[in-house]
Amino acid sequence: SGLLVLSILLIWLAVRGNKRKKKINVLLEQQNLLLTYQKDEAVKKNEEKRAMLKEIHHRVKNNLQVVNSLLNIQSRDVDDENVKMMFKVAQSRIVVMARLHEKIYNTDNLKHVDVKEHFRLLINDLITGYNVDTRIHTELEIEPIKISIDSLLPLSLIINELISNAIKHAFVNSKE
C-alpha cells in the first residue's frame, strides 16, 4: 500500500508539473508573440520615419535648386560684376546645401557618409557654376573616409569657401 501511495503521489506530481510546464509554455509563447509584434511595429515605424525623412530631404533639395535657378535668372539682368559675384557666392552656398541633401536622400546611413565622391561632385559643381573663362583641371587626393552628416555640413561649407575663393582670385589672368 505504501508503494501504491508513493506511485499515486509521483503520478500526481508528474501531472501537476506537466500542467505547470504547459502553462509556462503558453505564457512564453504569448510573450514571444508580443515581443515579435512590438519588434515588427518598431521596424515599421522606423521605416516610415526613414521614408518621411528622405521625402523631406528630397523636397528641401528641390527647393534649393529652385532658389538657385531663381538667383541665376536674377543675376542675368545685373551688369555690376560685384553684384554678379555676390549672386555666385550665394548660389555656391546653395549648391553645397543641395548636394548635402542629395547625399542624405541617397544614403541609408547618415552617420557614415563617404566624403570622397561628395567633395568631387561639389567641387565640379562649383567650377561649373562660376562659369569662368579659365579651364580648370582638378586633382583630388581625398582619403575614402566616412563621416557623419553633422560633420560634413560645416566641412562642405569650408571647402565651398576655399574653392570659391580660388576660382574667383587664383585664375584671374590665366587660360588654364
Side-chain angles (χ1 to χ4, degrees):
S1 71
L3 208 51
L4 181 63
V5 171
L6 185 60
S7 297
I8 292 173
L9 183 62
L10 286 175
I11 291 172
W12 179 76
L13 286 174
V15 169
R16 188 173 155 205
N18 196 21
K19 282 183 182 180
R20 182 179 281 167
K21 188 177 180 181
K22 283 183 182 180
K23 192 175 189 179
I24 290 171
N25 283 341
V26 167
L27 288 174
L28 286 173
E29 194 171 310
Q30 288 174 345
Q31 187 177 14
N32 282 340
L33 286 173
L34 180 62
L35 288 174
T36 302
Y37 174 76
Q38 289 172 338
K39 188 187 226 182
D40 289 346
E41 286 298 309
V43 167
K44 189 188 295 183
K45 283 182 182 180
N46 195 18
E47 287 173 358
E48 288 172 359
K49 284 180 185 178
R50 184 175 285 141
M52 191 178 348
L53 185 62
K54 280 192 168 191
E55 180 62 26
I56 289 168
H57 285 297
H58 181 66
R59 288 182 184 199
V60 167
K61 182 187 76 116
N62 286 344
N63 288 339
L64 288 170
Q65 288 174 338
V66 167
V67 170
N68 192 28
S69 296
L70 289 172
L71 286 173
N72 190 30
I73 290 169
Q74 283 297 126
S75 69
R76 291 180 190 162
D77 296 335
V78 175
D79 293 329
D80 186 354
E81 287 302 316
N82 288 332
V83 175
K84 274 190 175 190
M85 192 53 68
M86 290 170 60
F87 274 106
K88 287 292 181 192
V89 168
Q91 284 178 276
S92 70
R93 290 181 179 147
I94 290 171
V95 165
V96 168
M97 290 183 274
R99 179 65 65 199
L100 276 174
H101 277 281
E102 183 177 338
K103 180 64 73 178
I104 291 168
Y105 178 72
N106 290 325
T107 190
D108 288 331
N109 189 348
L110 300 179
K111 294 193 182 276
H112 304 290
V113 178
D114 183 15
V115 297
K116 186 174 185 173
E117 182 65 11
H118 169 72
F119 286 135
R120 187 187 66 74
L121 292 171
L122 175 63
I123 291 167
N124 287 337
D125 285 347
L126 290 170
I127 291 170
T128 303
Y130 274 94
N131 197 22
V132 292
D133 291 334
T134 305
R135 191 169 150 188
I136 301 173
H137 300 281
T138 57
E139 286 185 30
L140 304 175
E141 293 182 23
I142 302 172
E143 294 293 320
I145 60 171
K146 295 181 185 281
I147 61 174
S148 71
I149 288 292
D150 294 337
S151 300
L152 190 59
L153 177 61
L155 191 56
S156 295
L157 290 171
I158 291 168
I159 296 293
N160 173 60
E161 291 300 316
L162 289 170
I163 299 299
S164 298
N165 286 336
I167 292 170
K168 288 188 289 189
H169 304 293
F171 304 110
V172 176
N173 295 323
S174 61
K175 292 290 182 194
E176 191 166 329

